[in-house]
Amino acid sequence: MSKGLTVFVVDDDQAMRSSLQWLIESVGMEVETFDSAHAFLDAYYPGRAGCLLLDVRMPVMSGLELQDYLGRREIRIPVIIITGHGDVAMAVKAMKAGAVDFIEKPFDDEQLLNSIRKALEYGEQHRALHARRAEIAARLAELTPREHEVMAMVTDGKSNKEIASALNVSAKTVEVHRARVMDKMRADSLAELVRMALIAGGDA
């Protein structure tokens, strides 16, 4: 799973950066370390696969501020917050902002590694879903306005007869539109078409 993925460590404590780098590399994961949020932002470009290990208390821009900055720019890299000064309010804020985990120093090495694995897996799932959503959007763009109407009603559970009545067309015409929808969407079954509609709508 970790092939091609990078764990980005952002911590102003050099000893902690070195310790984390050694630990993460010891299990075969790629690591890049940064001594500040700005150093990370200067080096990182959106789309790089991996996860972000963030210290909370850093000068100029804190870990939570960096997490918020990335979120506002819709940069969806999984975040793990690490702190030696944590409290419940910090944990709640970090998790509400989308952090995968919140770990307090001193931490158990295996606990941290498990959290990193979880974050990397989450990131891979998110990228796969994003790619699938883009693929479905491209297919939806090929549909005519009427085919969009038919697909919406089909995936809402309407029968051909109900669709025909709603659109004031014949059932045969609905069948033709439905067949074209299935063909353009490359759906092998109604269940698959429904799944596509859910993914396109952000419900999956």
Side-chain angles (χ1 to χ4, degrees):
M1 180 186 67
S2 61
K3 188 176 180 181
L5 305 178
T6 304
V7 180
F8 302 97
V9 176
V10 184
D11 195 313
D12 62 330
D13 183 330
Q14 183 176 353
M16 180 57 67
R17 289 198 308 275
S18 297
S19 176
L20 287 170
Q21 182 169 6
W22 178 86
L23 173 64
I24 297 164
E25 287 181 341
S26 73
V27 292
M29 297 183 192
E30 294 291 326
V31 186
E32 290 184 22
T33 65
F34 304 90
D35 60 4
S36 70
H38 288 294
F40 167 75
L41 291 173
D42 286 342
Y44 181 79
Y45 57 87
R48 285 196 68 187
C51 71
L52 186 55
L53 224 56
L54 276 182
D55 185 40
V56 166
R57 295 184 187 248
M58 295 185 291
V60 185
M61 180 184 283
S62 72
L64 294 183
E65 287 170 339
L66 175 56
Q67 181 191 20
D68 180 63
Y69 178 93
L70 295 172
R72 283 186 281 111
R73 281 153 184 77
E74 298 188 356
I75 299 174
R76 306 299 182 191
I77 182 170
V79 171
I80 298 169
I81 296 290
I82 296 182
T83 182
H85 312 278
D87 56 25
V88 174
M90 273 186 180
V92 170
K93 183 176 181 180
M95 299 304 282
K96 281 186 175 179
V100 175
D101 208 347
F102 182 98
I103 297 177
E104 292 186 80
K105 303 171 186 174
F107 48 79
D108 176 75
D109 288 353
E110 198 54 42
Q111 177 194 9
L112 177 63
L113 291 173
N114 284 337
S115 182
I116 290 171
R117 293 184 186 104
K118 180 172 130 183
L120 292 175
E121 184 178 350
Y122 173 81
E124 287 290 86
Q125 291 171 349
H126 181 271
R127 278 187 294 280
L129 179 59
H130 181 77
R132 179 63 170 157
R133 191 165 285 147
E135 179 185 12
I136 292 170
R139 294 178 188 178
L140 284 168
E142 297 177 6
L143 301 183
T144 65
R146 179 47 58 92
E147 287 165 356
H148 273 287
E149 289 180 311
V150 170
M151 178 174 168
M153 285 187 271
V154 166
T155 56
D156 195 37
K158 300 286 193 301
S159 67
N160 284 0
K161 185 176 180 181
E162 289 172 320
I163 296 170
S165 175
L167 298 179
N168 197 26
V169 297
S170 68
K172 182 67 176 176
T173 299
V174 173
E175 287 178 15
V176 171
H177 285 309
R178 184 168 175 162
R180 286 175 180 164
V181 168
M182 296 293 285
D183 181 58
K184 289 181 179 180
M185 295 302 296
R186 298 174 212 169
D188 295 327
S189 66
L190 175 57
E192 185 178 0
L193 189 68
V194 170
R195 280 195 296 271
M196 288 182 182
L198 290 172
I199 291 171
D203 296 325

